[in-house]
Amino acid sequence: VVGTSQSGAVADDLMRVTASTLGLAVLGGLTVVVLALPGALLLSRGGGWIATLLERATFVGSALPGVVVALALVGLAVSWAPG
C-alpha cells in the first residue's frame, strides 16, 4: 500500500536486537571474568609451572593479529555447525 510506514516495526526490531546484543555482551563478559579468576589468583600467588604456562598463554592474543584469530574462530564454527 502506498504511503504506509513501517518505521515503528523497524524501531521495535532495532530495540529488540540491541537489548539482545547488550544482554549477550554482559553475559559473555561475566562468564570471562568468572573463568579468569582462578588463573588470576594462581598467577598472583606465583604458583609453579601451571602459573608460568598460564602467563605465557596470555601473550598469544597479543602476538597473533586479530584477523587471524577471527578467521580461525569462523573456521571452527563452520566445521562444528550442524547441517
Side-chain angles (χ1 to χ4, degrees):
V1 176
V2 177
T4 59
S5 173
Q6 293 183 354
S7 63
V10 172
D12 289 341
D13 285 344
L14 181 62
M15 291 302 292
R16 184 179 50 82
V17 169
T18 302
S20 174
T21 301
L22 289 174
L24 289 172
V26 168
L27 181 64
L30 289 173
T31 302
V32 168
V33 168
V34 167
L35 292 175
L37 280 176
L41 290 173
L42 185 63
L43 286 173
S44 69
R45 295 183 180 171
W49 67 273
I50 296 175
T52 303
L53 181 67
L54 282 174
E55 184 178 12
R56 291 181 182 167
T58 59
F59 293 112
V60 172
S62 301
L64 293 175
V67 174
V68 173
V69 175
L71 287 174
L73 290 174
V74 167
L76 285 173
V78 167
S79 68
W80 287 347

